[in-house]
Amino acid sequence: MDKDSLHTLQSWIDQSRSIVFFGGAGVSTESGIPDFRSTDGLYAQQWAYPPETILSHDFFAENPAEFYRFYREKMLITGVSPNPAHKKLAELERAGRLSAVITQNIDGLHQAAGSKTVLELHGSIHRNFCTRCGRFFSLEELLETSGVPRCPCGGIIKPDVVLYGESLDQETVSRAVSALRQADLLIVGGTSLAVYPAAGLIRYYRGSRTVLINKGATPYDAEAGLVIQDSIGKVLGQIAVR
């Protein structure tokens, strides 16, 4: 990352009062959570079924035991902590500069870092519900179970995560669209912008300044005012909040 890019990013942040951050798996990889599409990510690993199949609504309904075997081993990653990117975003929010974090991640690390307005497009591993009666179960309660977790009513407990074949939560989408429309700076980080419909939401941003921070190129690089191909934690860690 060159000094001119960092200076520009700092200047834009200093001048903004309603920043929205849109992030993906790359934000959490620096905390030790594997992403999905890198060479060592979940989609590159061998399993009895493709991850896209296991993490689908139909597979969960038809084969909950195999779903939970995969989900417990690959998705329920505990003992991780927020990294400099999560912490800086929380600091920007406390300073009144950042209005919302829109994330495709389900790990809850933004909240763990102190962020309050976190719009989780794909849900969260920290919320779980009975498919029969709707009773809520925390991550801690789920971790105490084995096999296919069941509610006292007999219903199967399902993680509140968006599986393939399911729609995004419309209230969350509406709040994300509203935040994007009102933003005066959009920072996109740690995402290849290849997952739809989530990635398409950034089209609702009406401002003139867009920053893309990602280790690799994205389909939107040519449209951004500033592109930094580097670690999101390294970049945001150097930003001063003033």
Side-chain angles (χ1 to χ4, degrees):
M1 177 180 55
D2 62 86
K3 291 183 179 180
D4 288 343
S5 294
L6 184 62
H7 176 78
T8 299
L9 176 59
Q10 180 72 67
S11 177
W12 287 5
I13 289 176
D14 290 344
Q15 296 168 27
S16 301
R17 293 296 181 272
S18 185
I19 302 169
V20 166
F21 178 81
F22 183 97
V27 179
S28 293
T29 53
E30 293 168 48
S31 291
I33 296 178
D35 69 2
F36 282 81
R37 289 172 173 77
S38 66
T39 55
D40 57 349
L42 287 181
Y43 284 0
Q45 299 177 19
Q46 297 297 317
W47 203 258
Y49 300 86
E52 297 98 324
T53 298
I54 300 174
L55 297 175
S56 69
H57 174 83
D58 288 346
F59 191 90
F60 172 81
E62 296 168 4
N63 197 342
E66 185 67 8
F67 169 89
Y68 264 108
R69 192 169 74 86
F70 178 90
Y71 184 76
R72 291 176 189 279
E73 181 173 336
K74 298 298 184 181
M75 309 300 287
L76 289 184
I77 299 174
T78 59
V80 293
S81 302
N83 61 56
H86 298 107
K87 295 175 182 177
K88 187 64 66 174
L89 291 168
E91 187 180 352
L92 285 167
E93 184 185 50
R94 287 193 297 271
R97 297 300 184 86
L98 185 140
S99 57
V101 168
I102 303 172
T103 180
Q104 300 173 78
N105 297 335
I106 61 175
D107 50 55
L109 287 178
H110 285 292
Q111 292 92 328
S115 289
K116 303 300 182 184
T117 304
V118 182
L119 305 176
E120 298 170 309
L121 296 175
H122 295 154
S124 173
I125 63 172
H126 294 272
R127 299 187 301 270
N128 306 274
F129 295 91
C130 172
T131 55
R132 179 180 295 177
C133 72
R135 176 176 170 177
F136 172 86
F137 294 87
S138 67
L139 173 60
E140 289 71 27
E141 290 174 300
L142 187 69
L143 290 172
E144 292 176 354
T145 67
S146 60
V148 178
R150 290 187 177 273
C151 175
C153 79
I156 295 176
I157 299 171
K158 179 186 179 296
D160 186 22
V161 298
V162 178
L163 303 177
Y164 289 99
E166 296 180 341
S167 300
L168 302 184
D169 178 73
Q170 287 307 300
E171 180 181 351
T172 303
V173 170
S174 295
R175 292 179 64 194
V177 169
S178 178
L180 286 163
R181 284 176 169 166
Q182 298 176 53
D184 56 11
L185 174 62
L186 172 62
I187 301 176
V188 180
T191 173
S192 61
L193 291 174
V195 178
Y196 285 82
L201 290 177
I202 66 173
R203 292 293 187 186
Y204 288 97
Y205 172 61
R206 296 172 174 175
S208 59
R209 292 175 172 175
T210 301
V211 182
L212 289 181
I213 307 171
N214 195 52
K215 289 183 177 180
T218 80
Y220 288 82
D221 285 4
E223 302 176 37
L226 179 62
V227 176
I228 302 176
Q229 291 193 359
D230 209 333
S231 154
I232 183 70
K234 176 183 176 182
V235 174
L236 292 185
Q238 297 182 65
I239 292 299
V241 180
R242 49 197 181 213

